[in-house]
Amino acid sequence: MQEILKAIMDDADSETFANLKIPATYRAAHILKSEETIFAGVASKDKDPRKTVHIGQVPTPELAPDECLVAVMASSINFNTVWSAIFEPVSTFGALARLARESEWAKRHDLDYHVLGSDAAGVVLRVGTAVRNWKPGDKVTAHCNHLDDQDPSAHDDSMMATNQRIWGYETNFGGLAELAVLKANQLMPKPKHLSWEESAVNALCSSTSYRMLVSKNGAAMKQGDVVLIWGATGGIGAYAVQYVLNGGGIPVGVVSSPEKAKILHELGCHAVIDRKTANYKFWNDDNTHNESEWRRLGKDIRGLVGEDPDIVFEHPGRSTFGASMYVVKRGGTVVTCAATSGFMLEFDNRHFWMRLKRLVGSHFANYREAWEANRLMSKGMIHPVLSQVFSLDETGTAAYQVHKNLHEGKLGVLCLAPKEGLGITDKELRAKIGEDKLTIFRRAK
Ligand code: NAP
């Protein structure tokens, strides 16, 4: 592994990378099938990823013809890292077993360990025999859309593929490791003005927000639209704020502390609601909504921007969903990609149908949407929201922070990179954008 790292640090040529020996094993953050039931009877909030995320050597898998082996310099924690580590809502070993039934190559994934991680930035070491667009030595970032592109259901919108999966969550060999196995069409050029860790935190969350807000497959936001964004300094929310501002919309960001409100102001989002201070009680108890609190939220939004939201960027789920469906404007759109606080959602259908609202389900991003999101990142029009950097050994601790909502933005993980700040090759673009814009979340920590 040291030789691989040396070649990366020396910016070696493609031939040098092609001739490097691939180690038989590599260090990886993984969970164990034998621990699937370790949290039986434990409340969700008390399930601790630090107990189940292990760091250790695993065998290097063989490469399928359409795959690339990447030396991972950095990766990131996503909420799906937490889901896998606490085996909720289901154990991801079930997904690996289902994948294994699809093809000979897919059988490799069904193991008694699961290497996690759905983001990565690094350098291509090997390409499969059918790979044409990438070569050893290419500096890449990776998106997590994993599918069989020979399946006709994938051809219009690759997120519609019947066998679409999230790499590193529903597949093995993810990015929280020294090496990662990726389908060639998951790779994208690494943004040259960013460090490895800044490049590694974007693809999953930024692409998700792109599809939800910008794409015609999501809410297709237009100039002047008011967009209510829950968790506006969280992983997907912090990119959502940027997309709204970039597209001429008016973000209303919801956060839960004055520190997070300050970050929003720095991002340029001036309509901010601190939900802790506002102390909304959307539920009287586990089964009864409090509609007057939905109205209070609507009033607060109108007090800030003078009108109801055209779009609500929804992901907390059960705790906020009824309110989101209520406050969105007549004819407006609620777009949702998650349900962190509970997935059995309830809303008052009378307000929904009488006010001709729309509800759009959204999940990650198709190839094109992920590529567009990376293009905007590479041009310096959207910025990383990296707040803290951890070592690979600290993956469980970082996942714990996300589980407990102790973080802002994205948490990066150094895999092979020996320190932060490496990998920047376009210093001119970086200087043009300015360190202050690139490090808003980093400075907040
Ligand atoms: P994150 O970094 O933890 O951010 C979520 C934010 O939501 C938090 O910062 C928190 O902000 C807010 N929040 C949490 N609980 C809340 C509640 N009960 N009511 C209101 N706000 C609440 O997570 P993320 O990476 O943004 O992901 C958010 C969700 O989206 C997760 O469930 C994740 O699995 C999902 N996701 C789905 C996709 C997909 O493709 N379908 C992709 C990415 C993420 P405040 O405390 O500041 O309000």
Side-chain angles (χ1 to χ4, degrees):
M1 215 52 86
Q2 282 312 310
E3 274 179 38
I4 291 173
L5 181 58
K6 184 172 180 315
I8 296 171
M9 301 293 279
D10 291 350
D11 203 13
D13 59 17
S14 183
E15 203 185 328
T16 306
F17 276 101
N19 288 323
L20 285 170
K21 194 168 170 287
I22 303 300
T25 63
Y26 64 104
R27 284 177 80 238
H30 59 275
I31 53 170
L32 297 171
K33 195 169 187 339
S34 57
E35 294 182 347
E36 252 179 340
T37 55
I38 192 172
F39 294 129
V42 178
S44 184
K45 65 177 176 40
D46 298 326
K47 295 179 180 173
D48 189 338
R50 292 172 298 188
K51 284 202 172 120
T52 49
V53 176
H54 303 277
I55 312 297
Q57 294 287 328
V58 298
T60 305
E62 208 183 328
L63 213 53
D66 62 346
E67 289 176 344
C68 299
L69 183 71
V70 170
V72 184
M73 291 297 269
S75 179
S76 92
I77 305 296
N78 281 294
F79 217 98
N80 71 14
T81 320
V82 177
W83 297 131
S84 294
I86 64 172
F87 302 100
E88 275 201 25
V90 288
S91 162
T92 43
F93 285 99
L96 302 186
R98 282 191 295 282
L99 169 57
R101 292 199 282 273
E102 285 185 4
S103 72
E104 273 307 305
W105 282 109
K107 283 183 185 157
R108 288 169 304 163
H109 292 260
D110 189 13
L111 298 166
D112 56 7
Y113 61 88
H114 182 184
V115 178
L116 308 178
S118 299
D119 272 316
V123 178
V124 176
L125 294 177
R126 290 282 186 280
V127 298
T129 51
V131 175
R132 295 172 302 281
N133 291 348
W134 301 103
K135 60 179 187 323
D138 284 346
K139 299 180 181 78
V140 294
T141 182
H143 70 70
C144 61
N145 189 0
H146 179 286
L147 56 107
D148 177 357
D149 55 10
Q150 292 177 19
D151 185 322
S153 62
H155 292 173
D156 182 34
D157 173 359
S158 49
M159 280 308 294
M160 289 297 178
T162 46
N163 52 18
Q164 188 281 328
R165 290 185 170 82
I166 299 299
W167 164 72
Y169 175 63
E170 295 161 300
T171 81
N172 220 320
F173 319 129
L176 284 161
E178 292 173 331
L179 301 177
V181 175
L182 295 123
K183 296 241 185 198
N185 45 20
Q186 286 179 251
L187 299 187
M188 306 183 291
K190 172 191 170 294
K192 294 188 173 79
H193 65 295
L194 300 179
S195 66
W196 293 111
E197 62 280 5
E198 288 167 341
S199 304
V201 297
N202 310 304
L204 189 146
C205 282
S206 176
S207 312
T208 300
S209 301
Y210 182 94
R211 182 177 175 109
M212 287 175 78
L213 289 176
V214 184
S215 169
K216 64 178 174 15
N217 294 316
M221 192 202 86
K222 62 180 185 351
Q223 294 179 38
D225 277 356
V226 172
V227 184
L228 179 73
I229 301 167
W230 291 105
T233 59
I236 51 175
Y239 294 104
V241 169
Q242 296 185 62
Y243 283 120
V244 173
L245 290 168
N246 244 8
I250 304 162
V252 179
V254 186
V255 288
S256 63
S257 72
E259 294 76 26
K260 290 181 177 183
K262 188 166 168 272
I263 294 177
L264 282 185
H265 286 294
E266 280 201 55
L267 273 176
C269 173
H270 300 299
V272 178
I273 294 176
D274 183 335
R275 67 182 172 100
K276 280 273 159 60
T277 310
N279 197 23
Y280 300 115
K281 301 271 184 226
F282 297 137
W283 290 85
N284 289 327
D285 55 50
D286 282 354
N287 298 308
T288 328
H289 292 277
N290 184 349
E291 274 202 44
S292 65
E293 286 292 273
W294 298 352
R295 282 194 288 278
R296 185 158 73 89
L297 171 65
K299 200 168 159 229
D300 288 348
I301 297 166
R302 282 196 295 279
L304 284 168
V305 293
E307 54 187 310
D308 294 327
D310 298 274
I311 298 169
V312 177
F313 184 87
E314 176 44 64
H315 53 93
R318 188 166 174 85
S319 60
T320 56
F321 194 75
S324 296
M325 293 293 272
Y326 178 79
V327 297
V328 75
K329 190 180 277 180
R330 177 182 280 263
T333 303
V334 174
V335 57
T336 177
C337 74
T340 316
S341 65
F343 48 79
M344 293 304 283
L345 309 182
E346 288 176 22
F347 63 97
D348 186 335
N349 196 26
R350 292 169 298 179
H351 301 296
F352 183 64
W353 94 70
M354 291 298 287
R355 292 181 188 155
L356 304 102
K357 304 181 181 193
R358 292 195 316 138
L359 173 61
V360 177
S362 192
H363 186 40
F364 187 57
N366 65 28
Y367 289 161
R368 166 56 57 188
E369 290 156 348
W371 193 274
E372 290 294 343
N374 189 56
R375 176 176 166 268
L376 290 168
M377 185 68 60
S378 299
K379 285 185 167 297
M381 295 171 76
I382 295 286
H383 307 306
V385 298
L386 176 73
S387 64
Q388 288 183 79
V389 178
F390 294 80
S391 68
L392 187 58
D393 285 328
E394 296 168 322
T395 302
T397 305
Y400 175 81
Q401 288 214 8
V402 172
H403 184 30
K404 291 288 175 186
N405 194 16
L406 300 172
H407 68 300
E408 285 103 30
K410 293 287 305 174
L411 304 186
V413 175
L414 297 182
C415 297
L416 277 171
K419 60 176 186 173
E420 289 178 49
L422 303 172
I424 300 165
T425 51
D426 188 346
K427 294 194 172 127
E428 206 178 316
L429 176 58
R430 193 171 177 96
K432 201 168 143 200
I433 296 164
E435 287 295 326
D436 55 333
K437 286 223 173 64
L438 291 167
T439 55
I440 291 175
F441 284 75
R442 197 82 181 95
R443 288 199 313 271
K445 227 32 215 182

